[in-house]
Amino acid sequence: MPGLLDGKSALVTGAGSGIGRATALAFAREGAWVAAADLKLEAAQETARMVEAAGGQAVAIEVDVTDDAAVAAMVQAAVKAFGGLDCAFNNAGIAPYQVNAAGQKIADVAPEAWQQLLDVNLTGVWRCLRHEVAQMRTQGGGAIVNTASVAGLVGLPSSSAYVASKHGVVGLTRTAAADHAEENIRVNAVCPGYIETPMTEDTMRRKGERILARVPMARMGRPEEIAEAVVWLCSDRASFVTGAAWTVDGGYSAV
């Protein structure tokens, strides 16, 4: 049986671990050629090796999504490797603890921490969209998914910069979808809840018990569960879906 993405090329940022790695593997399982991009080249290379070990084709690319020239080069490298760009998953992001802002209320967040979080999580997505859309225009269309979060749908105490960045991704996604629908480019977002990845370890260590008490399914999600949503959104089965923010959170935002 053919895969959902047979013969398509896919680009994943933040592909070196967690949701990005799981999605790169899922893309390959469904028949796509995968460009695995990450700030840490060794991590991207490991993901590419995992894809190839499972029978797929992949290339590894080093990218800093805060550098516009690097993002442009990433897209060009993916196109050079596979002849085009059909699907993109803009997943690279950072958490508050990575900029020393974990657990801080608005008045306590340093301006530098605020700026860095938004530069990666929001402006980084815009940079990727900009170059991906430019390429997809030349091909007659494509599908893009951005990683937002439940933090893009609700407020979270002591997470102002992260929440602002993820709300921004949801708004950016909807506007990009409206801007480019006539060009056959679909743009959606996935909104994960608390998922078992390195990024959530600090938060779960500090307040995991309280968080899980609010999740109706009473557990964290797995990266593979987010990957399945991304694959579907990139596939032709989602041909009438654009501008959506798909929540995959075990019911966290429903209560």
Side-chain angles (χ1 to χ4, degrees), residues 85-87 136-137 139-144 183-187 234:
L85 181 64
D86 301 302
C87 311
M136 290 177 178
R137 277 174 162 169
Q139 304 172 188
I144 300 171
E183 297 170 288
N184 196 34
I185 299 171
R186 295 186 300 104
V187 187
C234 284

Side-chain angles (χ1 to χ4, degrees), residues 31-226:
W33 305 307
V34 180
D38 200 275
L39 180 63
K40 299 177 180 178
L41 180 58
E42 290 184 1
Q45 290 170 332
E46 177 60 24
T47 297
R49 284 192 291 269
M50 293 171 71
V51 167
E52 291 171 347
Q57 296 184 48
V59 295
I61 303 169
E62 183 176 7
V63 68
D64 178 352
V65 297
T66 69
D67 181 338
D68 191 69
V71 172
M74 170 189 70
V75 172
Q76 291 166 7
V79 172
K80 182 179 179 180
F82 302 124
L85 181 64
D86 301 302
C87 311
F89 181 36
N90 299 320
N91 170 70
I94 58 175
Y97 79 90
Q98 292 173 287
V99 294
N100 297 316
Q104 294 183 351
K105 296 184 178 181
I106 289 175
D108 303 319
V109 176
E112 297 80 8
W114 173 277
Q115 188 58 52
Q116 187 176 356
L117 240 164
L118 266 70
D119 198 18
V120 175
N121 288 0
L122 177 55
T123 310
V125 171
W126 170 78
R127 291 185 187 98
C128 292
L129 279 170
R130 179 169 171 263
H131 293 288
E132 292 157 358
V133 166
Q135 173 61 32
M136 290 177 178
R137 277 174 162 169
T138 70
Q139 304 172 188
I144 300 171
V145 178
N146 302 319
T147 296
S149 168
V150 290
L153 306 174
V154 301
L156 297 177
S158 302
S159 302
S160 58
Y162 188 77
V163 166
S165 73
K166 294 302 185 178
H167 272 71
V169 170
V170 171
L172 179 62
T173 297
R174 289 172 173 157
T175 301
D179 280 350
H180 300 290
E182 291 184 355
E183 297 170 288
N184 196 34
I185 299 171
R186 295 186 300 104
V187 187
N188 293 288
V190 65
C191 298
Y194 290 90
I195 309 300
E196 295 173 349
T197 70
M199 188 177 288
T200 61
E201 288 176 0
D202 176 77
T203 297
M204 297 308 292
R205 182 170 56 251
R206 289 185 292 109
K207 49 185 179 181
E209 188 173 332
R210 280 179 289 157
I211 289 169
L212 291 181
R214 284 197 52 189
V215 179
M217 292 187 73
R219 67 173 177 86
M220 296 181 73
R222 299 185 300 276
E224 294 78 12
E225 292 174 308
I226 308 303

